Structures are given as structure tokens and as C-alpha cells.
Amino acid sequence: MIGYGTAEVTWAGGQAPPAFFVWTYRPGEGLRVQQGSPDMAPPLRLPAHWPYLLRHLSPASRRDLRSALRSATWSLDLCFESKGEACWYAVQGWREADGWHGVCTDVHARRQQQLRGERLRQTASELALAREPREVLEVVVQQARAALGSSRVLVVQRDADGAHVRVLAQHGEPRDAEISRWPLPLDAGCALCTAIREDQALFLVRPDRLLCHPYAHSDSSAAAVAVLPLRAYGRTFGALSLEFGQPRGFDGPERAFMTEFADLCAGALERARVYALERELREQAEREAAERRVSEERYRALVLTGSSEVWISDPQSGQVRLYQVRQPLESQTESDPWAWLETVHPDDRETARQRWQQALDTLQPFESRHRRLEGDRWRYVVSRGVPLFDEHGRVREWVGSITDVTDRVLARTRLEELNAELEGRVRERTAQLEASTRALRAFADFAERTGSETRVETLVHEALEVLRQTIGERSAAVFFRLEGSRWRAQNWLGLLPSGSEPLELSADDPVLRSAAANTDALFCEDWRTAQGPSAAASGDYGAFAFYPLNRHFGRAYALLALGLRDSAAWSAENRAVFRAVGRGLAVALERAETNARLEQQNAVLGARTAALEAFSALSRDLAFETDPMRIARRAQQIVLSLLPGGYATYFEPVGDRWRLRAATGFLGHPLAEYSARHGLPLEATRDLYLPWRSGQPRYQSRSAPWEDPSRNGNDHAGASACLPVQAGGRPRGVLAVTLYQPHPWGAADRAMLETAAQHLGLALERSDAAAALAEQHHLLEQKSAQLEALNDELEAFAYSVSHDLRTPVRHVLGFARLLEQRLEDRLSEREARYLHNVMSATERMGALIDELLSFSRVGREALRLETVDLAALTELVRSDLEPETMGRRVRWEIGPLPQVQADGGLLRQVLTNLLSNALKYSRTRPEAVIRISALEAGDEIVLSVADNGVGFDPKYAHKLFGVFQRLHREGEFEGIGIGLANVRRIVGRHGGRVWAEGQPGEGATFYFSLPRESRAPENG
């Protein structure tokens, strides 16, 4: 069947298209095809025309046919394609009068054979260029896809054991199942293993997915599979698996082509394997040869650079050839096999002969250590040798070496000597460590006994006890202290020389003078033969030692002495113990001295701290003191309590003289006191003028109290200090301290005086501020009293005016109503309007008077504070305002409200005014929304009333709470303008405040605050 577009030609009986047929094409009749044999079937008319014919031609054949139709006769090979298959025909045509005529011959087999031959030649040429197995596999996979049209290629090979198959190369993404199953056993029941086992190609036209490959699964898309064994030199070593996505018939030529392709691939793979094996063997041989050369060179270098000699012995002749390493080109041959023993030391000769004979008898390695004569010296050598056997197991020769080990033997001997010397040093060092350990134990014992002790007597006693217990009972320990020109024993333990208690020695004694000048312990041996007063006074002792203590200015003022009765020399152990105890006592005495100094300094610092605390107390006590001179005298008393005898004065400039404002202590002379109290010249008194002008203190260790020509008869001034006193950022006066005796002003004294001057200035500044505050408070009380009187008068006037105006207004309103009743029928329209206006104005005046009376009454009535529940009060006010909500939609949003301390009646007026205003100004809205809430802010409770009414302009918010103040016209909203004024007055009396926020057309929010705790009510 050959298809042309939508029409298909089927030959009679369902047979394949003929190899030869005749065709005719006439315009209007279509294409006629007739089989070209004697029993030719009747012509078959095709409904298709040239477009259908052209559609099934390959692009190249279509171009060739269109070009050929321009000629009268033509002959072409055309390729027809249908459903993925191609078929080649040799077509001839000629033009006649009635149309085109021609014949068509099937040449598909010939063309396929040519194409396969070309592909085999191309594959062979590419495989010939590939040398490595990897390159061959790449060519196999590439050509299998290109030449055979395979969609999936797999190349497998037997393992070395021949029982398994592994993958060499593949094309396509591997599946997980594939990866997990390789390598496969050769006896697996799949096409791959079967082809290798049976050495037979398998062509599966409709493959069973489980028989094709062991890894096949349900989604396998292979329509045909060919498995080709790979064989070379009569051995099947693998297989080539080809999968095709389209059905294949695998005819004879195609099977032969695939088999020949597989043989080409197998030969190339085997050739590449042999090439790789040859290359590996060649490289291995080269590596082994290189290693042998390196080993020979290394051995030759080792022998030539070493201290060994090589010898070779022939077992047949017994000759020994000796190769001198130091002269590698020369050798010595001994015909007598035992001649080499003549150079061996006589003492070692027999032993060496026995070992060589034993090696010859047992054929075991030979080794001998002996001395050998070289020139005129004996050298220590080690001779070793091993037998070398031939292929029959007989000894071919003996090969050995002689190594000179003289240096090694001498080094070992020297090492043994050094070890002996080291052991002696270790024993000596062990004795020293034992002495040090005993000294450290004594020092630790002394430190444990003393601890944090600071009393000198206790420290000395414990040191003497430790010495006696450590050194022994046959010793005496003494503590000397230098008193004038004598060393007096103050503490001792042990027997002292008879008749010498208490022991006292001269400071000029040469031994004691040397010990006092020394920085370390002084050990005196052979004490009985020594000269001097100290040796004569203690002649019963064989050795004495002294340790200097309390060193000051290069000499000691105390000595620790230790005497030995039974020994005239000091051992290293006893020396170490005495030094350790002496150092410990020296450190303890220094600690005690330092502790005493610190206690003294702490006492001084305590006194100064007390003075500072006194200044601090002065600042607290006189915080509101209005008498500045009292403050100055208290500061002077504190300063004098911390200094030697003297007096303190405080001066302030008045005009051109210094005036004494405060003085403490005796000035030293009546004339000086008189001059100070009656004034001193401003600039002439330089001790006061200079610090006041410069702002810097003036200290003099020796000076007159005031530098004026007369000195005022004061002859007792020793030292003076004048410090400026600043108050409010300007100089106020000078604090002067004068001592009767010269005194160096130290850093502590200056800090204390400057602190005193600073505190005095601060106190004076606070005193001035307190006085000014008291004056302001007095003026404020006066103004408050005047304001209260004016408020009382104003309230009384308002009450009186409003009360007195009510009766006339009531009369006017009453007579106007009578007039309206009497003249009702006789009044014109204009007269009636005039009378109505009079009555309305009179009624408004009456309302104003009533509100004014209420406003006045709010300020006059006393507050009655009580606990008010705001939630309940709000509900009560809402019920009162219920008539105003009739016929309106009003939504109340009331949050949690607390309880407060307030006047319940007045607070009800506040809520009534605020809620009625909210209802009034929101009546223009379809639905009025009024929100009431409360919050705690610090020490206040803030309540707010918000509405969605007409609002107000915030720039006029300051007028809201004024009397008779309105922000809207009377025609828009009724009212008098006194309600919010009442709100502010009531909240103010409770200690709170009021304010409001709003925008035109967006509503308004009114706030008022009340104190969290009740306060004293305020009038007003």
C-alpha cells in the first residue's frame, strides 16, 4: 500500500507494491497506475493530483521532480516517504500529446545497500582512528545512533571472572533500577545474557519488555530491540543492545548490516584492549627498569658514602676479596681463607674464627664484632655476611661488609661516663632539693603560725619557735633591736651564755656591723675562734648566723640570730632553713609596719571624711538658712577642726574696704581684731584682694595674715590660706585661714580648704535663693489675698445684681402679658410683633439672670466630696435628657467609667451640660453618635464626651469656656453661653482642667480631668 495524502493505493490481494509499473497522467483524468507484468491488472485511477504526489516526496526529491518537469523527457531516482518509512523508485517520464507517460522501477534495495556500505566504511574509518577504549566506545555509540537509527544504545562486557556482565557505555538517561542491578550474572534470563552465552544475535520485532533487559519496566517505549554479540578471535566478550522507537522488520540485509556493524565494533574494542594492555605492560617494564636503576644508584651511593668495606668470598677456593670503599677502584685478594684473621686483635681472634666457621657450616648469616688493626691503631669493626645461592640451592658466594664502629663505641663509653657524672649531680641536687624542701616546710610552718598576725612580739616569737623546732634543741635563737648604740636582745629561745642575760652588745662590733650592712644572711663558722665582743660573749657556740631586719636607708635596725652548740659549720640544709625563716620574718615585719601606717592613714582619712560629712550635713541643715554669716561660721568651725591651731575669717568687699562678716578663733592680737572688724583697705590687703580678683586660692606656708604696712601688731602669724568664695557665678567674698605656726599646705589640706570654700559658696547661694523665695512667697500671699477679696466682691456684686434685676424683669414680663390680653383684638400686626419682641427679650433676660445666679452660686457653695460612680451618674443624666431624644436616632457608646472623689451634685451639672450640648449640636445628623470614655493618665483621670455634630473652628477654642461666649448664631442653636463656663468653674474647683478639640463639620470632643486622689477644694 502506498499512500498519497488522503488517498491510498492498495494493490489487488493486499500485496506489496510491484517492483515495476507504468503510470499515465492526463489533465482532468488524474493519475493512472498499471502493473507492468503480462497479467497486468486493470488500470487503477487515483483521485489525487500532483499536489498529493508531491506531498509524499522527500524535500530533495520534490525539488528534483519540479526541475525535471520542465524537460520533455527525464529520468530520476525519487524517494517516497510515508509513516516514517522511505522507499526509492527510478522514475522515467516523457511528454506526449494527451499527457505524461512513464515507467517506475523499485530501486529501494539497491539504494539501501549502497547507504549501508557507506555507513560501514565511515564507521570503519572512525574506529581505525580510535586508539583508546574510551574513544572506541564513543564512536560505537555515536555510529549506532547515526547509522542504525537507534534511540537507545547499550554496550556490555564480561567481567574478568566471566560470570557477570557490566556496562561499558550507554546512551540515554540511566534509570534507578538499571543502576542498582549492574553487574548482572551471566546466567540471567534476559536477551543480553542469552546473546553472550549462546553467541547468537537476537532480533525482537515485538519485544517482551522483561525478556529484552533485566531493568525494563512498564513505561519502556522500545518498539523493536536488536541484541548483537561482540566476538573477536573466536571469543564472545560482550554484547551491543540497540532499541528502536519505531517498529522494525529486521529483514535479511538489515540483519547482515547490523551483524557486520557489531563485528567491526568488536574488532575495534579488542584492538583497543590489546593496545591498552601492551601500553600498560610497556609502562610497567619502564617503571621497573627505572626503579632498578634508582635502587642500584642508591645502593652504590650508600656504599661509597658510608664507612663500610665490602668483601666477597668464593666457597670453592676460599679466597676473600676485600673492596676498599675509600679506594673503590682497588681490591685485595687473600688466597688463604683465614688470612683476614691476622688483622684481628689477639683477644678477639678466636671468637671471630669460631663464628665464621659456624656460618660456613650452617650456611647462616655471619656477624662478628672485634677490633681490627688499621695502620698502627686498633679500630672497632662489625663484620657481617650472607650466602648467595644459585638455582640448585648451592652457595654461589658469600657477600658481606665491614663497618667501622669505633666512633660509636667511643661515644657509648663517653655516654657511660657522662651517665655516671649525671648520677652524681642528681644525688647532689637531690640533697639540695631536700634542704629546700625542709626550708620551704619551715617557711610554710612560720606562715601558717603567723597568718594575718601584725603584732611584732607574736611574729618574732613564732619565728624563734620554728627555728628551734627545725634546727634542734641544741641551738639558741635571738631577736636583737638597735637602741641607740647598743644591740639589745628583746626575745630569745634556748640557752644563752651564762651571765649575759639580758644580752646586750655594742653596735660597733665588727660582726654585727657587717650583718646590719648586709642584704642577706651572714653565716659565721668556727665561732669559738672568732674575735670580737660578740664572739667572746657567746664562746660556747660553734657557729652563728645573722639575718638583717627592718632595713631603712641601707642598714638594718633589727637582727635575727641563731647559734649552734654542737657544730662549727653550717650545712646547706640549715642555711636554707635559716634563710627561709629570716625572709618570712622580714616580710611579716614589713607587713606589720605597713599595716600600722595604713591604720594611721585611715585615722587621718576618717577625720577628713568626718569633715566632709560635716560639710554635707551643713549643706542639708542650712538649705533654707537665710543668715549667711551663720553659714560662714559653721564652715570655719569645720575647717579649724582639721588643722593645727589658728583662726578663720570671712571677708566681703563693701565699697573700698574689706568688711569682716564672720570670724572663728582668736585673731592673735587685740589690735588685729579691731582692724579686721572695722575694715581693711581693699587693694592694699593683697592676701584678700588677689584671690578675690583672680578667682584662684593663695597659699603661704609662712606669712602675715594680711599684707598691709602696719601688720596690725600681729606677730603670731605662721601660715595662711585665702580662698575666693563664689556665689551665683560671681565673687562674693574671701575665706581666710591663718595658723599660728608655719605649716606646709599639702594636697589633702588644699583639697579640704577648696571644698570648704565651694560648699560655703553653694550654701550662700542657696541662702540668697531662699531669701528671694521667701520674699516672693510673701508677695504672692499678698496678691492672693487681694485676688480673693476681689473675687468675693465680684461674686457678691453678681449675686446682688442678678437678684435685684429679677423683680423688675418679672414686672416687665407680667405687664407685657396683661397688655397683650387687654389689647389682643385692637393691636395691629406690627404692634403685636413689637409686643412679642418685648416679651421674648424679657424672657431671655430672665434666663440670663437665672444662669448668672447659678454661676455665682457655684463659686460660693462649699464642695462636698464623696465617692461618685461615674457610670451610674451618666445613666441618670441620660434619663434626664430622654425628652430631648424623642423622635431622633441617637447611638450612645459608653466605655468603662471609674469611681472618683468629687461633689456629686456639681459633677452632675458638668455631665448634664456636656451631654445636652452633644445632643443639641448633633441634631442635624441622621443618626447622632455620642461617645463617653475615661482613661488614667499619671495622677489624673481624664473623661471625654465626643459627638459627630457640627463641630467648631479650633482657632476659637479659647472662647468656648468663657461667660456668654458662643461660636454659633442664636438662630441655629439656642443657648445663653454660660453652661461651659460653669463646667470649667466646677472642674477647676475640683483641681482639674478642661479643654476641647474639633473641626467644622467633623464633630467635637470635650475633655475634663479629675485628680486620682482628693485634693483640698479651691474657691473660685
Side-chain angles (χ1 to χ4, degrees):
M1 179 179 66
I2 301 177
Y4 298 94
T6 58
E8 295 180 347
V9 177
T10 304
W11 299 95
Q15 299 176 357
F20 173 80
F21 58 89
V22 180
W23 61 271
T24 303
Y25 178 78
R26 294 185 179 91
E29 295 182 3
L31 181 67
R32 287 175 175 270
V33 180
Q34 186 174 4
Q35 189 172 355
S37 59
D39 52 347
M40 182 179 296
L44 182 66
R45 182 184 300 272
L46 295 178
H49 298 284
W50 283 106
Y52 294 96
L53 177 64
L54 296 177
R55 181 180 303 172
H56 291 276
L57 288 176
S58 67
S61 298
R62 189 181 301 119
R63 288 194 300 269
D64 294 342
L65 179 60
R66 289 182 184 276
S67 178
L69 289 177
R70 299 188 181 96
S71 304
T73 61
W74 47 269
S75 177
L76 294 174
D77 284 351
L78 299 181
C79 178
F80 293 88
E81 296 177 346
S82 178
K83 296 183 179 180
E85 294 185 358
C87 185
W88 287 88
Y89 284 88
V91 182
Q92 295 178 349
W94 56 91
R95 180 182 296 175
E96 295 184 0
D98 58 347
W100 286 94
H101 297 268
V103 295
C104 187
T105 305
D106 183 1
V107 294
H108 182 74
R110 176 173 55 82
R111 291 296 298 247
Q112 285 293 100
Q113 188 67 22
Q114 292 176 356
L115 180 61
R116 288 168 181 165
E118 291 177 359
R119 288 177 177 174
L120 284 176
R121 285 192 297 272
Q122 182 180 1
T123 302
S125 62
E126 292 189 5
L127 288 174
L129 296 176
R131 303 289 297 276
E132 298 291 338
R134 176 181 55 81
E135 298 174 353
V136 173
L137 289 172
E138 290 178 358
V139 173
V140 169
V141 173
Q142 181 180 1
Q143 291 300 319
R145 295 181 58 205
L148 303 180
S150 173
S151 61
R152 181 173 176 81
V153 182
L154 184 67
V155 182
V156 299
Q157 182 184 20
R158 279 185 177 183
D159 276 343
D161 57 1
H164 291 82
V165 177
R166 63 182 178 89
V167 176
L168 284 182
Q170 65 175 342
H171 168 73
E173 293 295 331
R175 304 182 180 93
D176 293 341
E178 299 176 17
I179 298 174
S180 63
R181 295 191 181 187
W182 295 105
L184 289 174
L186 188 60
D187 56 358
C190 63
L192 276 172
C193 298
T194 301
I196 296 174
R197 288 197 312 270
E198 299 180 1
D199 189 19
Q200 182 179 0
L202 300 178
F203 299 94
L204 307 177
V205 178
R206 293 182 178 179
D208 187 334
R209 60 184 181 84
L210 294 178
L211 294 178
C212 295
H213 299 292
Y215 51 77
H217 46 82
S218 60
D219 63 349
S220 177
S221 59
V225 176
V227 183
L228 309 170
L230 298 176
R231 65 177 71 86
Y233 303 106
R235 182 179 65 90
T236 302
F237 63 87
L240 173 63
S241 174
L242 304 173
E243 292 185 10
F244 301 93
Q246 300 294 333
R248 301 291 286 261
F250 296 123
D251 55 5
E254 186 174 12
R255 294 190 180 193
F257 171 64
M258 290 186 178
T259 303
E260 189 173 356
F261 179 84
D263 292 340
L264 278 176
C265 295
L269 286 173
E270 184 65 17
R271 185 180 68 254
R273 185 186 68 82
V274 172
Y275 173 77
L277 181 60
E278 291 177 353
R279 184 188 58 192
E280 183 178 357
L281 293 176
R282 185 171 57 254
E283 291 176 353
Q284 182 177 358
E286 291 175 355
R287 286 195 301 270
E288 292 177 353
E291 290 176 358
R292 284 195 301 272
R293 288 194 301 270
V294 172
S295 299
E296 292 174 359
E297 293 175 358
R298 185 181 296 117
Y299 178 73
R300 185 180 297 108
L302 182 63
V303 171
L304 294 178
T305 58
S307 60
S308 300
E309 299 176 0
V310 179
W311 58 267
I312 299 176
S313 175
D314 185 0
Q316 303 299 329
S317 62
Q319 294 180 353
V320 177
R321 295 190 301 275
L322 180 64
Y323 294 88
Q324 299 288 340
V325 176
R326 299 176 182 83
Q327 300 175 355
L329 298 180
E330 299 180 2
S331 63
Q332 300 176 5
T333 302
E334 301 289 346
S335 58
D336 185 2
W338 301 100
W340 59 274
L341 289 176
E342 296 178 359
T343 61
V344 178
H345 195 280
D347 297 340
D348 304 332
R349 189 172 301 164
E350 182 61 24
T351 302
R353 189 192 65 78
Q354 292 178 1
R355 292 185 176 180
W356 174 238
Q357 185 62 50
Q358 182 181 0
L360 292 175
D361 295 340
T362 61
L363 300 181
Q364 294 295 323
F366 163 72
E367 180 176 352
S368 174
R369 297 176 182 270
H370 52 266
R371 286 166 286 179
R372 190 179 67 163
L373 183 64
E374 291 187 5
D376 57 350
R377 299 178 57 188
W378 292 100
R379 307 286 296 180
Y380 291 91
V381 298
V382 176
S383 180
R384 295 186 179 91
V386 293
L388 299 181
F389 300 93
D390 58 12
E391 63 275 8
H392 302 291
R394 294 189 296 269
V395 176
R396 186 175 68 247
E397 62 182 0
W398 285 79
V399 178
S401 64
I402 300 175
T403 305
D404 191 333
V405 294
T406 303
D407 296 338
R408 194 183 309 168
V409 173
L410 296 178
R412 184 170 62 249
T413 304
R414 178 57 181 165
L415 181 61
E416 293 175 353
E417 295 175 354
L418 291 176
N419 286 338
E421 182 180 356
L422 181 60
E423 290 178 357
R425 292 182 180 180
V426 168
R427 287 192 296 270
E428 181 181 355
R429 183 57 181 165
T430 302
Q432 294 176 358
L433 290 177
E434 291 177 355
S436 299
T437 303
R438 187 178 179 192
L440 290 175
R441 190 179 297 112
F443 181 80
D445 189 12
F446 173 73
E448 183 179 359
R449 286 170 177 260
T450 56
S452 59
E453 182 64 51
T454 57
R455 291 176 298 179
V456 176
E457 294 79 5
T458 303
L459 295 174
V460 171
H461 178 76
E462 294 299 337
L464 300 180
E465 281 285 352
V466 170
L467 285 175
R468 284 271 294 172
Q469 293 177 5
T470 306
I471 301 298
E473 296 296 332
R474 299 289 294 174
S475 63
V478 188
F479 176 74
F480 290 94
R481 186 178 291 278
L482 183 62
E483 296 181 357
S485 61
R486 308 290 294 177
W487 288 99
R488 183 179 297 275
Q490 294 189 346
N491 299 80
W492 61 85
L493 285 177
L495 298 176
L496 291 178
S498 57
S500 60
E501 297 181 6
L503 184 60
E504 184 175 330
L505 300 173
S506 172
D508 295 332
D509 186 275
V511 176
L512 299 182
R513 187 168 59 250
S514 177
N518 201 8
T519 57
D520 196 5
L522 176 64
F523 294 95
C524 301
E525 298 181 341
D526 296 329
W527 186 253
R528 295 184 179 88
T529 61
Q531 302 295 325
S534 57
S538 55
D540 297 338
Y541 289 83
F544 249 97
F546 302 91
Y547 197 93
L549 304 171
N550 293 113
R551 292 185 54 80
H552 296 288
F553 305 105
R555 63 170 300 175
Y557 290 87
L559 290 175
L560 176 64
L562 179 64
L564 303 179
R565 283 183 176 272
D566 300 335
S567 177
W570 288 95
S571 64
E573 184 176 356
N574 288 339
R575 287 173 182 260
V577 170
F578 183 69
R579 279 197 177 96
V581 176
R583 289 171 185 168
L585 180 58
V587 171
L589 292 177
E590 291 178 4
R591 185 180 69 235
E593 185 177 357
T594 302
N595 185 71
R597 287 198 303 268
L598 289 177
E599 288 181 354
Q600 184 178 3
Q601 292 175 2
N602 287 336
V604 174
L605 290 177
R608 293 178 179 174
T609 302
L612 293 177
E613 292 176 352
F615 278 116
S616 179
L618 172 64
S619 300
R620 291 194 303 270
D621 296 342
L622 303 181
F624 298 98
E625 177 62 52
T626 57
D627 184 4
M629 296 309 104
R630 184 179 173 208
I631 298 173
R633 284 191 292 272
R634 289 285 301 275
Q636 291 170 354
Q637 292 172 2
I638 296 172
V639 168
L640 292 178
S641 66
L642 300 176
L643 294 173
Y647 56 91
T649 54
Y650 173 67
F651 290 88
E652 289 184 356
V654 179
D656 60 349
R657 300 189 69 81
W658 290 101
R659 296 296 181 182
L660 181 63
R661 296 304 189 188
T664 301
F666 178 59
L667 271 62
H669 194 279
L671 181 58
E673 185 173 355
Y674 176 81
S675 300
R677 293 189 181 278
H678 288 80
L680 297 171
L682 182 65
E683 296 185 6
T685 312
R686 300 182 60 81
D687 283 348
L688 302 179
Y689 182 75
L690 291 178
W692 179 76
R693 188 65 180 269
S694 64
Q696 299 296 325
R698 179 180 173 86
Y699 297 99
Q700 299 183 79
S701 299
R702 182 187 295 274
S703 67
W706 307 288
E707 292 183 354
D708 61 319
S710 63
R711 291 179 56 87
N712 297 321
N714 190 339
D715 297 329
H716 302 287
S720 66
C722 299
L723 301 97
V725 177
Q726 303 242 349
R730 60 183 183 83
R732 174 73 175 269
V734 176
L735 175 63
V737 178
T738 304
L739 304 181
Y740 298 137
Q741 300 294 332
H743 178 73
W745 298 103
D749 295 332
R750 297 188 181 209
M752 182 268 296
L753 289 173
E754 291 169 9
T755 302
Q758 184 180 5
H759 278 75
L760 178 58
L762 293 175
L764 293 176
E765 186 175 346
R766 283 198 298 269
S767 175
D768 295 343
L773 183 62
E775 180 65 22
Q776 292 178 1
H777 183 68
H778 178 67
L779 294 176
L780 184 61
E781 287 181 348
Q782 291 180 350
K783 291 182 180 180
S784 178
Q786 295 174 2
L787 183 61
E788 186 175 355
L790 290 176
N791 286 334
D792 292 341
E793 292 177 2
L794 180 60
E795 291 180 2
F797 173 75
Y799 179 79
S800 176
V801 168
S802 59
H803 186 273
D804 293 342
L805 287 177
R806 292 181 70 185
T807 300
V809 170
R810 192 181 304 115
H811 288 171
V812 171
L813 181 61
F815 284 113
R817 288 175 178 172
L818 289 176
L819 184 61
E820 182 183 21
Q821 294 175 2
R822 294 282 181 91
L823 303 176
E824 181 177 2
D825 298 333
R826 289 177 288 178
L827 292 175
S828 64
E829 183 178 354
R830 177 179 297 178
E831 291 171 345
R833 186 171 67 252
Y834 289 161
L835 183 59
H836 182 267
N837 290 340
V838 170
M839 294 173 60
S840 297
T842 305
E843 290 176 353
R844 178 170 176 78
M845 180 177 291
L848 287 173
I849 291 172
D850 291 339
E851 293 293 335
L852 188 60
L853 282 174
S854 175
F855 181 75
S856 175
R857 194 176 298 113
V858 167
R860 297 173 63 86
E861 294 179 355
L863 292 178
R864 294 184 293 275
L865 296 179
E866 58 182 344
T867 301
V868 179
D869 187 349
L870 288 177
L873 185 60
T874 301
E875 289 298 324
L876 181 61
V877 174
R878 278 185 57 195
S879 64
D880 293 343
L881 298 176
E882 193 68 29
E884 298 185 18
T885 62
M886 299 295 293
R888 295 178 55 187
R889 292 177 57 191
V890 180
R891 185 170 81 244
W892 298 86
E893 296 180 0
I894 304 176
L897 300 177
Q899 294 182 349
V900 296
Q901 292 291 320
D903 188 314
L906 295 180
L907 200 57
R908 182 174 181 178
Q909 292 186 38
V910 171
L911 289 177
T912 300
N913 281 321
L914 294 178
L915 296 183
S916 64
N917 280 349
L919 287 171
K920 178 170 61 176
Y921 290 107
S922 61
R923 67 188 177 195
T924 60
R925 301 291 186 252
E927 182 183 23
V929 180
I930 301 174
R931 302 180 183 88
I932 306 171
S933 61
L935 60 90
E936 296 182 359
D939 58 351
E940 292 182 328
I941 297 176
V942 179
L943 288 90
S944 63
V945 177
D947 61 70
N948 63 339
V950 297
F952 61 88
D953 193 340
K955 67 181 181 180
Y956 300 117
H958 62 284
K959 295 183 177 181
L960 284 174
F961 299 96
V963 180
F964 304 133
Q965 296 291 333
R966 291 174 52 82
L967 301 185
H968 300 87
R969 293 192 302 273
E970 186 176 355
E972 295 177 343
F973 299 98
E974 71 279 1
I976 298 174
I978 225 168
L980 292 180
N982 268 334
V983 170
R984 183 177 67 175
R985 194 165 199 184
I986 293 172
V987 173
R989 292 194 63 191
H990 283 79
R993 53 197 177 92
V994 294
W995 68 96
E997 298 175 354
Q999 291 291 337
E1002 298 181 4
T1005 303
F1006 287 83
Y1007 301 91
F1008 69 93
S1009 66
L1010 295 174
R1012 189 188 299 271
E1013 298 178 358
S1014 61
R1015 301 174 183 171
E1018 300 177 0
N1019 293 329

